[in-house]
Amino acid sequence: MSAADTRVGRRRAVEPARPGALPLVLALLSVAGVTGWLVMRDGGSLMPGYAGGPLAMVAAFLACRRIGSMIVVPRPVRGFWRLFSHSAICVGIGSVCSFAFANNDPGLSPYMAVPTLLGVVMSVLAFLRLPVERRSALRWAQLFLDGATVAVAGSLIYWYVVLDLASPATSAVTRNGAAAVGVGALISLVVIGRAAMSPASVVDSVSLRILTVAPMVAVAVTVLLIAGGDTGRLIISVLAVPLIGVAMALAAYRQEVVLRRPAASVAAPPARGSYNVLPLASVIATAALVITVSARQLGWHQRVVIIGAVLIATFVVTRQLLGLRANDRLLVGIRRQRAELEYLAMHDPLTGLANRARFGAVLGERLDAHLCASVLLVDIDDFKMVNDTLGHAVGDQLLVEVAQRLRHQSTVTHLASRLGGDEFAVLLDVDDPAAAEAAAACILAALAVPLRVGEHQLLAHASIGVALAGPGDNADEVLRNADIAMYAAKASGKASWARFEPRMRNEVVNHARLGSELHNAIIRHELYLAYQPVFDLVTGRMAGAEALVRWQHPVRGPVSPADFIPVAERSGLIIPLGAWVLREACGQLAKWHAEYGPAAIQSINVNVAARQLREAGFVDEVAAVLSDTGLIPANLVLEVTESSVLDGRQVRETLQALHELGVRLALDDFGTGQSSLSLLRAFPVDVLKLDKSFVDGICDGEDRGRLAVAAAVAQLAEYLDLYAVAEGIETAAQLDRLRAMGYRLGQGYFMAKPLPPEELAALMVPVVVPATAA
């Protein structure tokens, strides 16, 4: 494949990513396998039963790590799931140790207790790092007191109840290891409860509730490992880790499903109180323990005092909870409004996609962290035509449909955004050019399928600029590079993609500099007009002339129109430039009429850009120029391209008004567009100008296709009573062939190059075109 093929490409289909269901399936299979082993077990080794644990934790690691690497989610959420993947590694190490030792001894060996406890710590850290609410000193103190309450109560219960039920033969180390893991799991339940009940939680609340299964299973297994019988201990020992793996994989899968939903359809988190029921349960359990102890060791009078004290503490706690509930009801509305404002600040209200602010923030975040990033800038081709012809309501619906396609193609591994108007962007977490180009081709293929918008079937072709973030680039630079590449894609023919290269930036800089110099050139009168004659191919007389603008730069010398006309169109300078050309050409024709009378040419051709035709006062400007110069409308021929005619309703109305004024209209470069024949019915055309590309190949049978087109245009013009002009005649053979086909008018270097006004004036006498050999 050539370098050009690598940089600029057309549509190519690529399958979008799907939710990661494989880890969840793998975890469920591990539970099913262990359950089947328990049912079918008849003595033998215990290692097959413990094999499900490592398998389930591998699945949990993959599920959590997948979300931790997605750029579509905010950094706190990614950090949360990355820490949970580390927790899965720690618990997985403990399960590998259980598989290696494979016994049904009571308690928990240090080889399994230490990595498991480390996994609990990792999960607690993951929750503590979530920005669920504003962490003031008071909030931290409340969280600490909740955790301390549960830790003390749990320790008392394990020490006085659970450990008291342990077999005397159980090692103190294994008993204490199991108790430590159990107390740690209780503390993690406090932290999870705080996060799950917060209205400001950034992690899906259902996923958080699913994650509570893990510490609850851990508490149950530690109790049974210390005080359970052989059968119960074996069942919970082999099933505990697989169940924890399923909970983690299911929670991650649920989070990914939520992320795949359209942003506008994700409901705000339900309003809940900010208090946790676990500390209350700990107080109640401790009170029950105190009552139990007092009933065994104290007299009746002491027992009454203890029970009264416990009741008073319960009443006070209940009163505080009721007060907290009342306060929470007042805060729920404020929190919900804050969440809605934050959503509106970071999302586009029409499409629900991320807006420019969020896109720039996520891109800047990745660049600051030195992570790979690529940007696809997607601009809908000819979107203005939809607004002009079908209305803005249909245009808005089209944008919504395009957003849906982008969201479907991007899924959760990319961040789709609407930057404004008909401009979209997609942020990729890749730095491989092939992967970025494949994503661009995938989007083009998705948009190539017709969109159903109300009663209309519309095509939404797009031009895409691809930019890969380089070392030291900031967000603005990457977006600017993608914008430059997008314009290169439009210049290559639209409905394509182009990858940014440094030379493109140099071209943009040069264009900007050239635009500034062109602005000064208009003021300093550095521009002038040359006139290329249009001859009657039968009589040899000059029938008219086309005004062509030229630029003599004081430093660069002659500047080609192919260089400065596109700059003028892109910068808007085509408006003052076109106005100057129109007035200068009409003024020159008026001078010739005054000097040469009937011998002078009767009309002048002036090229008009689509940007000029979109100006509301263009028709009045033409009428004013004709009036000021003393010309009649028939003396002026305005040349427009097929693409200009298709530019929208305003252009069509302007052309119709010019035709009604009496100005003649010429369709330039005829035959090169996509709708030439249909234009002849809708466009008030007077002259067809056959493009030079068809004239080049009509002699000596070089190209039968071009010959056929040239002949067809001549016949079409004759049938429709139009003038047909052949452009770019460079040889006598071409002139003879065109004349034989029926072309009456022609222009080209063979007859005359563009000339200064005084040289053209010398030709305003009858001239015989040189005869050529047959």
Side-chain angles (χ1 to χ4, degrees):
M1 183 178 288
S2 66
D5 292 335
T6 302
R7 293 189 297 269
V8 180
R10 297 286 173 179
R11 295 179 283 271
R12 177 175 52 181
V14 179
E15 282 296 322
R18 298 297 179 188
L22 182 59
L24 176 59
V25 173
L26 189 62
L28 290 173
L29 288 177
S30 69
V31 173
V34 171
T35 304
W37 176 82
L38 287 171
V39 173
M40 303 297 295
R41 177 177 176 269
D42 188 16
S45 174
L46 300 180
M47 293 186 72
Y50 284 99
L55 184 63
M57 295 320 297
V58 167
F61 168 79
L62 293 176
C64 296
R65 188 65 184 179
R66 175 180 170 86
I67 300 181
S69 61
M70 293 175 183
I71 65 175
V72 73
V73 296
R75 178 188 292 180
V77 181
R78 293 202 306 270
F80 171 84
W81 289 105
R82 278 199 296 269
L83 278 174
F84 246 88
S85 69
H86 299 161
S87 175
I89 293 176
C90 296
V91 178
I93 293 173
S95 67
V96 170
C97 294
S98 298
F99 173 76
F101 291 101
N103 59 64
N104 193 26
D105 297 337
L108 197 61
S109 167
Y111 298 106
M112 293 164 274
V114 171
T116 303
L117 190 58
L118 185 58
V120 173
V121 172
M122 286 288 184
S123 65
V124 170
L125 288 176
F127 282 99
L128 291 178
R129 291 184 60 181
L130 281 179
V132 293
E133 54 190 290
R134 187 174 180 273
R135 288 273 170 78
S136 62
L138 178 60
R139 291 295 186 184
W140 280 110
Q142 289 175 338
L143 184 61
F144 173 77
L145 290 175
D146 285 346
T149 301
V150 173
V152 171
S155 300
L156 288 174
I157 293 172
Y158 270 94
W159 173 71
Y160 192 80
V161 178
V162 179
L163 295 180
D164 193 52
L165 297 176
S167 170
T170 304
S171 168
V173 174
T174 58
R175 282 185 299 174
N176 293 333
V181 172
V183 173
L186 287 173
I187 295 174
S188 70
L189 272 176
V190 175
V191 181
I192 294 175
R194 171 74 68 173
M197 290 185 299
S198 173
S201 177
V202 294
V203 178
D204 176 58
S205 59
V206 176
S207 298
L208 295 180
R209 293 191 206 105
I210 295 173
L211 287 174
T212 59
V213 173
M216 287 191 291
V217 170
V219 171
V221 73
T222 54
V223 171
L224 290 177
L225 284 176
I226 296 173
D230 290 343
T231 302
R233 189 167 58 244
L234 177 62
I235 293 174
I236 198 66
S237 296
V238 296
L239 276 178
V241 177
L243 289 175
I244 292 174
V246 168
M248 295 174 69
L250 180 59
Y253 180 78
R254 160 69 188 187
Q255 177 74 80
E256 187 171 350
V257 169
V258 171
L259 291 173
R260 279 179 53 83
R261 294 176 184 169
S265 68
V266 179
R272 284 182 167 76
S274 60
Y275 51 88
N276 197 332
V277 73
L278 197 57
L280 176 60
S282 300
V283 171
I284 295 174
T286 305
L289 187 61
V290 169
I291 293 174
T292 302
V293 172
S294 65
R296 293 180 181 178
Q297 301 178 1
L298 300 178
W300 173 251
H301 295 287
Q302 292 87 352
R303 294 174 191 171
V304 172
V305 173
I306 294 296
I307 293 173
V310 170
L311 288 175
I312 292 173
T314 302
F315 295 153
V316 171
V317 170
T318 304
R319 174 66 182 82
Q320 293 298 320
L321 289 177
L322 292 175
L324 286 174
R325 182 175 179 83
N327 291 336
D328 285 337
R329 287 179 175 176
L330 296 176
L331 293 175
V332 161
I334 297 175
R335 289 171 175 169
R336 181 171 294 167
Q337 289 179 0
R338 184 180 66 182
E340 291 175 354
L341 290 174
E342 290 176 353
Y343 176 85
L344 292 175
M346 289 297 174
H347 291 82
D348 174 54
L350 176 64
T351 63
L353 295 179
N355 61 10
R356 181 182 291 272
R358 186 185 176 200
F359 188 87
V362 176
L363 175 58
E365 173 189 306
R366 291 194 65 82
L367 297 178
D368 292 341
H370 304 289
L371 300 175
C372 58
S374 299
V375 171
L376 307 182
L377 194 65
V378 184
D379 188 84
I380 307 303
D381 295 330
D382 303 318
F383 177 72
K384 184 178 183 300
M385 186 186 304
V386 176
N387 276 340
D388 289 343
T389 57
L390 302 178
H392 289 273
V394 175
D396 288 346
Q397 294 179 38
L398 177 61
L399 293 177
V400 172
E401 291 298 324
V402 170
Q404 293 286 358
R405 296 277 175 94
L406 287 179
R407 185 182 289 112
H408 173 72
Q409 295 299 321
S410 301
T411 66
V412 292
T413 59
H414 308 151
L415 175 62
S417 171
R418 182 190 177 208
L419 302 184
D422 62 334
E423 192 173 69
F424 297 83
V426 180
L427 176 60
L428 313 179
D429 57 348
V430 300
D431 57 3
D432 177 32
E437 292 166 2
C442 179
I443 292 174
L444 287 179
L447 295 179
V449 180
L451 296 164
R452 183 71 179 179
V453 180
E455 300 177 352
H456 308 281
Q457 285 277 2
L458 301 178
L459 285 176
H461 294 305
S463 298
I464 302 179
V466 181
L468 279 65
D473 287 347
N474 58 37
D476 289 339
E477 290 172 336
V478 178
L479 276 172
R480 185 164 57 249
N481 293 342
D483 192 55
I484 293 172
M486 184 268 292
Y487 277 108
K490 283 189 177 295
S492 70
K494 301 183 180 180
S496 63
W497 54 262
R499 179 160 56 87
F500 173 79
E501 293 183 349
R503 63 170 179 79
M504 294 180 180
R505 184 186 294 115
N506 297 333
E507 292 174 357
V508 170
V509 172
N510 291 336
H511 281 184
R513 184 181 299 114
L514 193 62
S516 176
E517 295 176 355
L518 179 60
H519 177 269
N520 295 331
I522 298 174
I523 299 174
R524 297 170 182 171
H525 306 291
E526 296 173 5
L527 303 173
Y528 65 93
L529 293 183
Y531 299 88
Q532 185 173 31
V534 177
F535 287 98
D536 187 317
L537 300 185
V538 177
T539 65
R541 293 178 179 273
M542 188 167 57
E546 180 180 356
L548 302 171
V549 64
R550 296 292 184 261
W551 182 9
Q552 182 65 33
H553 194 281
V555 177
R556 303 187 186 196
V559 180
S560 171
D563 293 332
F564 70 82
I565 292 298
V567 173
E569 291 179 342
R570 184 178 302 176
S571 63
L573 288 174
I574 196 67
I575 301 298
L577 177 60
W580 177 83
V581 171
L582 176 64
R583 184 167 291 275
E584 184 74 10
C586 290
Q588 184 61 61
L589 181 61
K591 291 180 182 178
W592 286 330
H593 282 182
E595 294 176 6
Y596 297 96
I601 58 176
Q602 294 304 305
S603 63
I604 193 74
N605 291 28
V606 177
N607 291 281
V608 178
R611 186 77 174 266
Q612 294 175 264
L613 297 173
R614 289 200 297 268
E615 292 293 307
F618 182 71
V619 177
D620 295 335
E621 178 184 351
V622 171
V625 169
L626 293 174
S627 176
D628 294 344
T629 56
L631 299 179
I632 62 174
N635 294 140
L636 179 61
V637 179
L638 296 181
E639 297 190 10
V640 297
T641 61
E642 295 180 26
S643 59
S644 299
V645 178
L646 294 172
D647 197 66
R649 176 176 53 82
Q650 177 64 42
V651 170
R652 292 197 303 274
E653 291 178 354
T654 299
L655 293 173
Q656 187 63 41
L658 289 169
H659 180 70
E660 294 172 358
L661 182 65
V663 174
R664 290 186 291 166
L665 302 175
L667 201 56
D668 198 12
D669 301 331
F670 186 76
T672 59
Q674 299 178 356
S675 306
S676 299
L677 297 180
S678 63
L679 281 179
L680 298 181
R681 298 181 58 188
F683 171 56
V685 63
D686 300 288
V687 181
L688 297 181
K689 300 193 72 174
L690 179 69
D691 188 70
K692 181 181 182 299
S693 61
F694 296 103
V695 175
D696 290 340
I698 65 172
C699 294
D700 303 324
E702 294 177 7
D703 191 329
R704 297 181 61 85
R706 294 181 182 180
L707 181 63
V709 172
V713 170
Q715 294 176 9
L716 186 64
E718 181 180 356
Y719 293 150
L720 297 178
D721 196 21
L722 305 176
Y723 289 99
V725 181
E727 297 181 290
I729 302 175
E730 297 182 349
T731 66
Q734 291 175 349
L735 188 148
D736 289 341
R737 178 60 65 90
L738 290 167
R739 186 159 47 192
M741 287 181 181
Y743 282 89
R744 183 67 182 265
L745 302 173
Q747 65 185 104
Y749 278 24
F750 172 69
M751 295 170 287
K753 295 182 179 180
L755 302 171
E758 58 275 7
E759 294 185 21
L760 184 73
L763 300 178
M764 292 182 185
V765 293
V767 176
V768 178
V769 177
T772 57

